Amino acid sequence: SRDVAEAAGVSRTTVSMVVNDVQGTKISEQTRQHVLETSRLLGYVPNAAAKALASRRSQTVGLVMARQPYHIISDAFLNLLLDGLLQSVHRHGMRLLIEIIEPKHQEETYLRLARAKHIDGLILAGVRQDDQGVYSLAREGLPAVLIGSMPEQIIDHVDVDNHQASLSAVEHLLNLGHTQIACITNASLEFAAPAQRLNGYRHALELAGLAYTEDLVRFGDYNLDSGYLQMNSLLDAGAQFSAVFIASDVVAQGAMTALHERGLKIPGDISIVGFDDVPLARFLAPPLTTVHVPASEMAEMACEMLIERIADPEAPLQSRILPTELVVRSTSGVYNK
């Protein structure tokens, strides 16, 4: 597939998706036909990666999510990832082994799975920025793909541009006239995405000539309770703000409940922009303005990348960044005070 990718001027993931007729991708018909024609000219046999996978013993891939158990229950974004992975593994006649591990136990879990020989590869989600287990996994040579990113690329990964997406979300609020904008992250800064999203928020303020102040920043914890608690914390502190960028729809839902309980109107008193666009977002009251993240597509691409890595362990590392889109609904309004 490498030759086809180079000749067609596309990624190996795109070649894999086209020749294996992966459904639900955003590959244009023109690109699809171009890849198929290039494949025919070069004599590429479709499903080569899948056949390489089928020759292995287990036909099982593992999904390792580093989360506290209570995060799994409430984090709707993880459900979207799981849905995309299940669709992809079933399409390839594979099985999915799911391991939920508490943070700080990643390294031994990765290595135990790698050495048990019961899986052909791993998909990782929710790793910390300093997760040494990823380095150990790379040294072991087990095929692995990260959904997300780390400061240094060690294994293949698929992600979105969290910084740019957050910057755009905050710019939306700035364009509505808001100048006092608070932020509640989706989790602690030990994880890459919360740090990147907070940096995007900070960058947007700087570009607008506004000061970044820690008094307007709080840290969520992937769940509803944290959004509720952190919004109350902002209000109790007497901080002056007319809008809040909340880097997770789940956290935003908890924050909105806190505002409702205090009799504050959304967006009349406080405007809200979330992040992820989980299915619940458009059914909240009012429907949530948020950043759409193609979670299922990320998961499916991660699975395709893992199949490629299993088929060709020596291939160069891949980094895929999928596009996001700001979905404007009813929680963000013009500043009117």
Side-chain angles (χ1 to χ4, degrees):
S1 65
R2 186 185 304 169
D3 292 340
V4 176
E6 290 178 356
V10 298
S11 72
R12 294 178 66 216
T13 301
T14 298
V15 173
S16 175
M17 287 185 169
V18 170
V19 299
N20 289 302
D21 197 25
V22 175
Q23 301 299 308
T25 68
K26 294 186 178 179
I27 299 170
S28 70
E29 181 62 22
Q30 182 179 2
T31 299
R32 196 178 74 85
Q33 292 299 332
H34 178 54
V35 169
L36 290 174
E37 180 61 25
T38 304
S39 299
R40 283 192 290 270
L41 290 173
L42 294 178
Y44 179 71
V45 179
N47 296 315
K51 288 176 182 177
L53 177 66
S55 68
R56 302 182 69 89
R57 186 180 303 171
S58 73
Q59 291 186 269
T60 301
V61 297
L63 169 65
V64 180
M65 293 187 285
R67 288 284 197 278
Q68 299 289 354
Y70 60 86
H71 290 153
I72 303 300
I73 296 170
S74 61
D75 194 341
F77 183 75
L78 289 181
N79 293 333
L80 294 174
L81 291 181
L82 190 58
D83 177 63
L85 280 176
L86 287 171
Q87 289 187 46
S88 191
V89 296
H90 290 163
R91 188 165 55 241
H92 288 287
M94 298 151 54
R95 293 176 302 231
L96 183 66
L97 171 70
I98 301 174
E99 287 272 345
I100 310 299
I101 57 175
E102 293 193 16
K104 299 183 180 178
H105 292 95
Q106 295 101 312
E107 186 161 7
E108 55 261 44
T109 303
Y110 298 159
L111 294 178
R112 174 174 54 80
L113 288 169
R115 292 165 179 166
K117 311 297 184 187
H118 296 151
I119 58 172
D120 296 316
L122 278 180
I123 293 173
L124 311 178
V127 306
R128 292 171 182 258
Q129 296 201 71
D130 61 351
D131 189 342
Q132 294 303 305
V134 180
Y135 290 89
S136 299
L137 190 60
R139 286 194 295 269
E140 287 281 321
L142 183 78
V145 176
L146 171 63
I147 298 177
S149 59
M150 294 177 67
E152 178 185 0
Q153 185 174 5
I154 308 158
I155 59 175
D156 297 321
H157 78 99
V158 57
D159 202 1
V160 295
D161 189 337
N162 286 290
H163 181 283
Q164 182 60 44
S166 299
L167 187 152
S168 298
V170 178
E171 284 185 336
H172 168 67
L173 292 169
L174 291 165
N175 290 336
L176 290 172
H178 297 278
T179 56
Q180 295 174 305
I181 303 170
C183 175
I184 303 176
T185 70
N186 49 322
S188 75
L189 303 188
E190 296 169 302
F191 298 93
Q196 292 162 356
R197 294 176 191 181
L198 180 61
N199 284 338
Y201 158 81
R202 185 171 189 160
H203 191 191
L205 295 182
E206 290 173 353
L207 290 175
L210 299 173
Y212 170 86
T213 169
E214 292 183 355
D215 292 345
L216 289 179
V217 177
R218 296 292 188 277
F219 301 95
D221 192 25
Y222 292 115
N223 57 24
L224 293 161
D225 289 352
S226 68
Y228 181 83
L229 291 170
Q230 297 307 329
M231 179 60 82
N232 277 316
S233 172
L234 281 169
L235 295 170
D236 290 340
Q240 296 299 308
F241 58 93
S242 62
V244 190
F245 167 57
I246 306 179
S248 155
D249 292 347
V250 174
V251 176
Q253 184 183 0
M256 289 170 66
T257 299
L259 291 173
H260 289 318
E261 286 185 358
R262 300 233 182 173
L264 293 169
K265 294 182 175 59
I266 307 170
D269 295 311
I270 303 289
S271 285
I272 302 285
V273 176
F275 203 109
D276 290 333
D277 195 22
V278 299
L280 183 66
R282 72 186 185 94
F283 296 107
L284 293 176
L288 181 63
T289 295
T290 185
V291 174
H292 176 75
V293 175
S296 292
E297 291 91 333
M298 287 173 68
E300 289 193 51
M301 181 166 286
C303 195
E304 297 299 325
M305 292 168 71
L306 184 60
I307 290 173
E308 288 189 8
R309 178 59 58 189
I310 292 167
D312 187 359
E314 303 303 320
L317 288 178
Q318 288 197 70
S319 173
R320 304 289 290 167
I321 304 299
L322 298 187
T324 59
E325 178 186 1
L326 183 66
V327 181
V328 178
R329 297 194 179 104
S330 305
T331 57
S332 54
V334 174
Y335 178 70
N336 59 9
K337 293 182 183 178

